[in-house]
Amino acid sequence: MTGLRRRDMRIGIIGTGNMASALGSRWAAAGHQVLFGGRSAERAGALAGRTGQSAGTVREAAAFGDAVLLALPHDAVAGVLAGLGAADGALRGRLLVDCTNAVGPGFRLTTGTGPGAARAIAEATGARVVKAFNHLPDSVWRRPAPCSPDGPLTVPLCGDDASALETVGTLVRDLGCVPLTVGGLDRAAYLEATTAFLIGLWHSGHDPRTLLPPFDVVTA
Ligand SMILES: NC(=O)c1ccc[n+]([C@@H]2O[C@H](COP(=O)([O-])OP(=O)(O)OC[C@H]3O[C@@H](n4cnc5c(N)ncnc54)[C@H](OP(=O)(O)O)[C@@H]3O)[C@@H](O)[C@H]2O)c1
């Protein structure tokens, strides 16, 4: 399967909360077809109505189109995947975008020092998993053109499948951002841990940018 570059992708979104709404509405605005799948038909329908897209069940979202965003609390992921028949290979080969954060009390990862959330999802499903969009709050993804102090926002991606990374790269560009593959799924746990670290800083009122000198200073 080759990566998709076209602007009329079909994207299933599992979940109808903040991340589903933020990313789904921006992808819809970019011209993609989105199906919001939730355990509450009312919430899925309301989101679909607001964005001019379609609504369905969690199962319908998992089977919809070219890429599926898992926009669930980390604690719910294993049960939802099991209910979709992951153990029987129902999701094998599907492109799953994992934006989840397994952050518990004290801004600690509930996945501990293990392989991390994205790797666990790949192992449970046989899906082509790409970790993305987890490192910033939904308020950023809702913006028409999220930016860093130096220009368009770079979005780190981790994954093992080149065509899946290419497809998610297109979805990143359609948010007005720049994709950067930072490694395979073996690196996703670092991205997850970095995010837990960043969330802790933001919650305590510290700007993480003050930790970092300009790039040329570091590389001099
Ligand atoms: N919000 C952010 O700023 C942000 C940023 C980056 C990453 N993330 C990560 O993205 C994921 C989603 O976050 P969110 O803020 O969108 O969460 P949210 O607003 O709480 O939405 C979670 C969604 O998951 C659904 N859900 C929960 N348990 C379920 C189950 N057992 N079966 C089916 N659906 C279930 C909820 O359904 P109901 O409405 O029926 O409860 C809801 O639609 C989380 O892992 C979070 O850590 C969030």
Side-chain angles (χ1 to χ4, degrees), residues 14-23 37-41 43-44 47 58 69-77 79-80 98-103 131-142 195 199:
I14 301 179
T16 56
N18 295 311
M19 287 295 276
S21 158
L23 291 168
R39 60 182 173 180
S40 157
R43 279 189 284 277
L47 192 45
V58 167
L69 174 72
L70 279 177
L72 296 166
H74 172 73
D75 290 354
V77 169
V80 169
D98 170 29
C99 72
T100 66
N101 281 317
V103 179
K131 187 87 198 185
F133 309 114
N134 67 304
H135 81 299
L136 288 171
D138 65 280
S139 54
V140 172
W141 303 123
R142 287 179 198 280
T195 301
I199 294 172

Side-chain angles (χ1 to χ4, degrees), residues 81-92 123-125:
L81 295 178
L84 289 169
D88 299 325
L91 297 167
R92 186 164 301 284
E123 285 170 6
T125 58

